[in-house]
Amino acid sequence: MAARPNWIAWVFVGLVFVCTPSMGQQVVILGVAQDGGYPHIGCAKACCRKAWQDESRRNHVVSFALVDTLQASWWLFEATPDITRQLERFQQLTGGAYRYLPDGIFLSHAHIGHYTGLMYLGREALNASQIPVYTLPKFADFLRTNGPWSQLVLLNNISLKPLQPDQPLHLNETVSVTAFTVPHRDEFSETAGFSIRAGTRKILFIPDIDKWAKWNKSIIDEVKRVDMALLDATFSSATELPNRKISEVPHPLVSETVSLFNAQDQQTRQKVYFIHFNHTNPLLWDEQAQADLLRKGFHLATLGAIL
């Protein structure tokens, strides 16, 4: 598997996507990197060196668009620091067939890669009007009562829409989103995962969680219930941060997740799409590591992919 994007293939997929409105609901991957992006600030090591030198190797922070082609509607999951480029990429991939701004933005938690893109909706930049922003209640309170986010609310750039855990929100007749809490470092907000029903498809999105064993649900059972699962792949192994305690930034290692699913059948494993890669994770940039994982029956979310 090539490390750099296959732009020709993705442009072709994008054209098919635009020209086939009967396809229903789709997921468009707009970023797969951890909060710091790729290449990572201050990193001159081998993992980022080629990306500094070659822009085609760069990647955006984790985000995707949920698109309903039948209703000409779309929703953005996560507002990242790369939102400007991600909105433009969405327009390119869909041939400008949809409104520039989404019908709503769903945010998982208050870590920098997942919500700070909201700033570009403010009067210093786009000066948007009443963009619905869906979060769990504690996160909504954080945005409402802390600057500069509170200014977005005050000036009606965004309209906060608190979600209730485990209660589905029906966006239209065929699309609904259910937020649920997962254990993570909740300094400013809860951390949400999302269960999405899009037509006949069910999609699971958990970009950040401490460890699968700390959750009160079985990740294996949850994956079996859906058609596609976008799961936390921040670190591949525990040796990636030699100068930091990896216990301070807990995530399920990809090796741990693979081990959990190794006993499952191919049909279950192929539902898993790893996403949210730290710049140190070889699955983001190493062809051999990518190929090895694919041979085990799993998938890697890739920038520009339409699923």
Side-chain angles (χ1 to χ4, degrees), residues 220 253-264 274 298:
I220 293 175
L253 303 176
V254 173
S255 57
E256 293 172 343
T257 305
V258 167
S259 179
L260 276 176
F261 280 90
N262 266 342
Q264 304 303 311
F274 286 109
F298 300 93

Side-chain angles (χ1 to χ4, degrees), residues 206-279:
I206 306 177
D208 281 89
I209 190 170
D210 283 352
K211 293 291 180 182
W212 300 122
K214 292 177 65 176
W215 195 22
N216 60 2
K217 298 180 181 180
S218 162
I219 185 57
I220 293 175
D221 290 344
E222 294 304 307
V223 169
K224 287 182 176 180
R225 292 189 180 102
V226 301
D227 299 292
M228 178 173 64
L230 298 162
L231 300 184
D232 184 342
T234 307
F235 301 115
S236 186
S237 73
T239 62
E240 289 178 36
L241 299 180
N243 299 319
R244 294 182 65 183
K245 293 181 179 179
I246 202 167
S247 60
E248 295 176 353
V249 282
H251 290 272
L253 303 176
V254 173
S255 57
E256 293 172 343
T257 305
V258 167
S259 179
L260 276 176
F261 280 90
N262 266 342
Q264 304 303 311
D265 58 24
Q266 173 70 11
Q267 184 179 7
T268 300
R269 293 197 305 275
Q270 68 183 6
K271 295 179 181 182
V272 174
Y273 284 75
F274 286 109
I275 199 166
H276 194 270
F277 305 99
N278 196 55
H279 66 111

Side-chain angles (χ1 to χ4, degrees), residues 165-182:
D166 305 311
Q167 297 296 314
L169 172 69
H170 296 277
L171 298 171
N172 61 31
E173 298 85 354
T174 58
V175 178
S176 66
V177 177
T178 303
F180 52 86
T181 59
V182 297

Side-chain angles (χ1 to χ4, degrees), residues 70-295:
L70 301 177
Q71 300 289 335
S73 300
W74 75 284
W75 299 269
L76 183 66
F77 281 74
E78 312 291 33
T80 84
D82 295 322
I83 193 171
T84 299
R85 294 178 180 85
Q86 288 169 323
L87 291 173
E88 180 63 22
R89 183 177 291 273
F90 177 76
Q91 289 296 308
Q92 293 170 352
L93 288 168
T94 58
Y98 301 91
R99 289 183 291 275
Y100 179 73
L101 290 176
D103 293 274
I105 300 174
F106 287 84
L107 303 178
S108 62
H109 64 301
H111 284 167
I112 65 168
H114 300 261
Y115 80 104
T116 57
L118 291 177
M119 70 179 76
Y120 293 102
L121 302 179
R123 65 180 176 186
E124 299 92 340
L126 191 60
N127 197 31
S129 177
Q130 295 285 349
I131 302 302
V133 173
Y134 299 95
T135 73
L136 288 172
K138 184 180 177 182
F139 196 177
D141 287 342
F142 171 78
L143 295 172
R144 187 181 295 110
T145 59
N146 289 275
W149 323 110
S150 55
Q151 180 172 282
L152 297 172
V153 179
L154 180 65
L155 298 181
N156 295 314
N157 299 127
I158 64 174
S159 176
L160 295 177
K161 307 290 185 182
L163 299 167
Q164 295 305 313
D166 305 311
Q167 297 296 314
L169 172 69
H170 296 277
L171 298 171
N172 61 31
E173 298 85 354
T174 58
V175 178
S176 66
V177 177
T178 303
F180 52 86
T181 59
V182 297
H184 194 46
R185 293 173 289 112
D186 296 338
E187 299 94 338
F188 303 113
S189 75
E190 322 92 328
T191 300
F194 295 100
S195 176
I196 302 164
R197 184 181 293 272
T200 61
R201 302 175 72 201
K202 296 179 182 178
I203 302 160
L204 183 67
F205 178 48
I206 306 177
D208 281 89
I209 190 170
D210 283 352
K211 293 291 180 182
W212 300 122
K214 292 177 65 176
W215 195 22
N216 60 2
K217 298 180 181 180
S218 162
I219 185 57
I220 293 175
D221 290 344
E222 294 304 307
V223 169
K224 287 182 176 180
R225 292 189 180 102
V226 301
D227 299 292
M228 178 173 64
L230 298 162
L231 300 184
D232 184 342
T234 307
F235 301 115
S236 186
S237 73
T239 62
E240 289 178 36
L241 299 180
N243 299 319
R244 294 182 65 183
K245 293 181 179 179
I246 202 167
S247 60
E248 295 176 353
V249 282
H251 290 272
L253 303 176
V254 173
S255 57
E256 293 172 343
T257 305
V258 167
S259 179
L260 276 176
F261 280 90
N262 266 342
Q264 304 303 311
D265 58 24
Q266 173 70 11
Q267 184 179 7
T268 300
R269 293 197 305 275
Q270 68 183 6
K271 295 179 181 182
V272 174
Y273 284 75
F274 286 109
I275 199 166
H276 194 270
F277 305 99
N278 196 55
H279 66 111
T280 58
N281 190 333
L283 291 172
L284 185 58
W285 42 265
D286 184 88
E287 296 180 20
Q288 187 59 56
Q290 294 165 349
D292 290 344
L293 184 74
L294 294 174
R295 276 195 293 270

